[in-house]
Coordinates of all heavy atoms in Angstrom, one line a residue:
L262 N -23.0 65.1 -115.8 CA -23.3 66.4 -115.2 C -22.2 67.4 -115.6 O -22.5 68.6 -115.7 CB -23.4 66.3 -113.7 CG -24.7 65.5 -113.3 CD1 -24.6 65.2 -111.8 CD2 -25.9 66.3 -113.6
L263 N -21.0 67.0 -115.7 CA -19.9 67.9 -116.1 C -20.1 68.3 -117.6 O -20.0 69.5 -117.9 CB -18.5 67.2 -116.0 CG -17.3 68.0 -116.5 CD1 -17.2 69.3 -115.6 CD2 -16.1 67.2 -116.4
A264 N -20.5 67.4 -118.4 CA -20.9 67.8 -119.8 C -22.0 68.8 -119.9 O -22.0 69.7 -120.6 CB -21.2 66.5 -120.6
L265 N -23.0 68.6 -119.0 CA -24.1 69.5 -118.9 C -23.7 70.9 -118.5 O -24.0 71.9 -119.1 CB -25.1 68.9 -117.9 CG -26.5 69.6 -117.8 CD1 -27.5 68.6 -117.3 CD2 -26.5 70.8 -117.0
S266 N -22.8 70.9 -117.5 CA -22.3 72.2 -116.9 C -21.5 73.0 -118.0 O -21.7 74.2 -118.2 CB -21.5 72.0 -115.7 OG -21.0 73.2 -115.1
L267 N -20.6 72.3 -118.6 CA -19.7 73.0 -119.6 C -20.6 73.5 -120.8 O -20.4 74.6 -121.3 CB -18.6 72.0 -120.1 CG -17.5 71.7 -119.1 CD1 -16.6 70.7 -119.6 CD2 -16.8 73.0 -118.7
S268 N -21.5 72.7 -121.3 CA -22.3 73.1 -122.4 C -23.2 74.2 -122.1 O -23.5 75.1 -122.9 CB -23.1 71.9 -123.0 OG -23.9 71.4 -122.0
S269 N -23.7 74.3 -120.8 CA -24.5 75.3 -120.3 C -23.7 76.6 -120.3 O -24.2 77.7 -120.7 CB -25.1 75.0 -118.9 OG -25.9 76.0 -118.4
Y270 N -22.5 76.6 -119.8 CA -21.7 77.8 -119.6 C -21.4 78.3 -121.0 O -21.5 79.6 -121.2 CB -20.4 77.4 -118.9 CG -19.4 78.5 -118.9 CD1 -19.5 79.6 -118.0 CD2 -18.3 78.5 -119.8 CE1 -18.6 80.7 -118.0 CE2 -17.4 79.6 -119.7 CZ -17.5 80.6 -118.9 OH -16.6 81.7 -118.8
I271 N -20.9 77.5 -121.9 CA -20.6 78.0 -123.3 C -21.8 78.6 -124.0 O -21.7 79.6 -124.6 CB -20.0 76.8 -124.1 CG1 -18.6 76.3 -123.5 CG2 -19.8 77.2 -125.6 CD1 -18.1 75.1 -124.1
T272 N -22.9 77.9 -123.9 CA -24.1 78.4 -124.5 C -24.5 79.8 -124.0 O -24.8 80.7 -124.7 CB -25.3 77.4 -124.4 OG1 -24.9 76.1 -124.9 CG2 -26.5 77.9 -125.1
G273 N -24.5 79.9 -122.6 CA -24.8 81.2 -122.0 C -24.0 82.3 -122.5 O -24.4 83.5 -122.6
R274 N -22.7 82.0 -122.7 CA -21.8 83.1 -123.2 C -21.9 83.4 -124.6 O -21.6 84.5 -125.1 CB -20.3 82.6 -122.9 CG -20.0 82.2 -121.5 CD -20.1 83.4 -120.6 NE -19.1 84.4 -120.8 CZ -19.0 85.5 -120.1 NH1 -19.9 85.8 -119.1 NH2 -18.0 86.4 -120.3
K275 N -22.5 82.5 -125.4 CA -22.5 82.7 -126.9 C -23.9 83.2 -127.5 O -23.9 83.7 -128.6 CB -22.1 81.4 -127.6 CG -20.6 81.0 -127.3 CD -19.6 82.0 -127.8 CE -18.2 81.5 -127.6 NZ -17.2 82.4 -128.1
I276 N -25.0 82.9 -126.8 CA -26.3 83.1 -127.4 C -26.6 84.6 -127.6 O -27.4 84.9 -128.5 CB -27.4 82.4 -126.6 CG1 -27.4 82.8 -125.1 CG2 -27.3 80.9 -126.8 CD1 -28.6 82.2 -124.3
G277 N -26.1 85.5 -126.7 CA -26.3 86.9 -126.9 C -27.8 87.2 -126.9 O -28.5 86.8 -126.0
E278 N -28.3 88.0 -127.9 CA -29.7 88.5 -127.9 C -30.5 87.8 -129.0 O -31.6 88.2 -129.3 CB -29.7 90.0 -128.2 CG -28.9 90.8 -127.1 CD -28.9 92.3 -127.4 OE1 -30.0 92.8 -127.9 OE2 -27.9 92.9 -127.3
N279 N -29.9 86.8 -129.7 CA -30.5 86.2 -130.9 C -31.6 85.2 -130.5 O -31.3 84.1 -130.1 CB -29.4 85.6 -131.8 CG -30.0 85.2 -133.1 OD1 -31.1 84.8 -133.3 ND2 -29.2 85.4 -134.2
K280 N -32.8 85.6 -130.5 CA -33.9 84.8 -130.1 C -34.1 83.6 -131.0 O -34.4 82.5 -130.5 CB -35.2 85.6 -130.1 CG -35.2 86.9 -129.3 CD -36.5 87.6 -129.3 CE -36.9 88.1 -130.7 NZ -35.9 89.1 -131.3
L281 N -33.9 83.8 -132.3 CA -34.1 82.7 -133.2 C -33.0 81.6 -133.0 O -33.3 80.4 -133.0 CB -34.0 83.2 -134.7 CG -34.4 82.2 -135.8 CD1 -35.8 81.7 -135.6 CD2 -34.3 82.8 -137.1
K282 N -31.8 82.1 -132.7 CA -30.7 81.2 -132.4 C -31.1 80.4 -131.2 O -30.8 79.1 -131.1 CB -29.4 81.9 -132.2 CG -28.2 81.0 -131.9 CD -27.0 81.8 -131.5 CE -26.4 82.6 -132.6 NZ -25.1 83.3 -132.1
M283 N -31.6 81.0 -130.2 CA -32.0 80.3 -128.9 C -33.0 79.2 -129.2 O -33.0 78.2 -128.6 CB -32.6 81.3 -127.9 CG -31.6 82.3 -127.4 SD -32.4 83.5 -126.2 CE -31.2 84.9 -126.3
K284 N -34.0 79.5 -130.1 CA -35.0 78.5 -130.4 C -34.4 77.3 -131.0 O -34.7 76.2 -130.5 CB -36.0 79.1 -131.4 CG -36.9 78.0 -131.9 CD -37.9 78.5 -132.9 CE -38.7 77.4 -133.6 NZ -39.9 77.8 -134.3
W285 N -33.5 77.5 -132.0 CA -32.9 76.3 -132.6 C -31.9 75.6 -131.8 O -31.7 74.4 -131.9 CB -32.3 76.8 -134.0 CG -33.4 77.1 -135.0 CD1 -33.7 78.3 -135.5 CD2 -34.3 76.1 -135.6 NE1 -34.8 78.2 -136.3 CE2 -35.2 76.9 -136.4 CE3 -34.5 74.8 -135.4 CZ2 -36.2 76.3 -137.1 CZ3 -35.5 74.1 -136.2 CH2 -36.3 74.9 -137.0
I286 N -31.2 76.3 -130.9 CA -30.3 75.7 -129.9 C -31.1 74.8 -129.0 O -30.7 73.6 -128.7 CB -29.5 76.7 -129.2 CG1 -28.4 77.3 -130.1 CG2 -28.8 76.0 -128.0 CD1 -27.6 78.4 -129.4
T287 N -32.2 75.3 -128.5 CA -33.1 74.5 -127.6 C -33.6 73.3 -128.4 O -33.7 72.2 -127.8 CB -34.3 75.4 -127.2 OG1 -33.8 76.5 -126.5 CG2 -35.2 74.6 -126.2
F288 N -34.1 73.5 -129.6 CA -34.6 72.3 -130.4 C -33.5 71.3 -130.6 O -33.7 70.1 -130.4 CB -35.1 72.8 -131.8 CG -35.5 71.7 -132.7 CD1 -36.7 71.0 -132.5 CD2 -34.6 71.3 -133.7 CE1 -37.0 69.9 -133.3 CE2 -35.0 70.3 -134.6 CZ -36.2 69.6 -134.4
I289 N -32.3 71.7 -131.0 CA -31.2 70.8 -131.2 C -30.8 70.1 -129.9 O -30.6 68.8 -129.9 CB -30.0 71.5 -131.8 CG1 -30.3 71.9 -133.3 CG2 -28.8 70.6 -131.8 CD1 -29.3 72.9 -133.8
G290 N -30.8 70.8 -128.8 CA -30.5 70.2 -127.5 C -31.5 69.1 -127.1 O -31.1 68.0 -126.7
C291 N -32.8 69.4 -127.3 CA -33.8 68.4 -127.0 C -33.7 67.2 -127.9 O -34.0 66.1 -127.5 CB -35.2 69.1 -127.1 SG -35.5 70.3 -125.8
L292 N -33.4 67.5 -129.2 CA -33.2 66.4 -130.2 C -32.1 65.5 -129.8 O -32.2 64.3 -129.9 CB -33.0 67.0 -131.6 CG -32.9 66.0 -132.7 CD1 -34.3 65.2 -132.8 CD2 -32.6 66.7 -134.0
I293 N -30.9 66.1 -129.4 CA -29.8 65.3 -128.9 C -30.2 64.4 -127.7 O -29.8 63.2 -127.7 CB -28.6 66.2 -128.6 CG1 -28.0 66.9 -129.8 CG2 -27.5 65.5 -127.8 CD1 -27.0 68.0 -129.5
L294 N -30.9 65.0 -126.8 CA -31.4 64.3 -125.6 C -32.3 63.1 -126.1 O -32.1 62.0 -125.6 CB -32.1 65.2 -124.7 CG -32.7 64.5 -123.4 CD1 -31.7 63.9 -122.5 CD2 -33.6 65.6 -122.7
S295 N -33.2 63.4 -127.0 CA -34.1 62.3 -127.4 C -33.4 61.1 -128.1 O -33.6 60.0 -127.7 CB -35.1 62.9 -128.5 OG -35.8 64.0 -127.9
L296 N -32.4 61.5 -128.9 CA -31.6 60.4 -129.6 C -30.8 59.6 -128.6 O -30.7 58.4 -128.7 CB -30.7 61.0 -130.7 CG -31.4 61.6 -131.9 CD1 -30.5 62.4 -132.8 CD2 -32.2 60.5 -132.7
A297 N -30.2 60.3 -127.6 CA -29.3 59.7 -126.6 C -30.2 58.7 -125.8 O -29.7 57.5 -125.6 CB -28.7 60.7 -125.7
V298 N -31.3 59.1 -125.4 CA -32.2 58.3 -124.5 C -32.7 57.1 -125.4 O -32.8 56.0 -124.9 CB -33.3 59.1 -123.9 CG1 -34.3 58.2 -123.1 CG2 -32.8 60.2 -123.0
F299 N -33.1 57.4 -126.6 CA -33.6 56.3 -127.5 C -32.5 55.2 -127.7 O -32.8 54.0 -127.6 CB -34.0 56.9 -128.9 CG -34.4 55.9 -129.9 CD1 -35.7 55.3 -129.8 CD2 -33.6 55.6 -130.9 CE1 -36.1 54.4 -130.7 CE2 -34.0 54.6 -131.9 CZ -35.3 54.0 -131.7
L300 N -31.3 55.6 -127.9 CA -30.2 54.7 -128.1 C -29.9 53.9 -126.8 O -29.6 52.7 -126.9 CB -28.9 55.4 -128.5 CG -28.9 56.0 -129.9 CD1 -27.7 56.8 -130.2 CD2 -29.1 55.0 -131.0
T301 N -30.1 54.5 -125.7 CA -29.9 53.8 -124.4 C -30.9 52.7 -124.2 O -30.6 51.7 -123.5 CB -30.1 54.8 -123.3 OG1 -29.2 55.9 -123.5 CG2 -29.8 54.2 -121.9

Side-chain angles (χ1 to χ4, degrees):
L262 292 171
L263 178 61
L265 190 156
S266 180
L267 290 175
S268 59
S269 179
Y270 173 77
I271 294 169
T272 303
R274 302 297 291 180
K275 297 295 183 181
I276 54 177
E278 304 176 41
N279 193 321
K280 305 179 298 295
L281 189 60
K282 181 190 292 186
M283 293 179 201
K284 169 181 175 167
W285 287 109
I286 289 174
T287 304
F288 173 76
I289 292 170
C291 292
L292 184 62
I293 290 172
L294 176 63
S295 303
L296 292 173
V298 176
F299 178 74
L300 293 174
T301 303

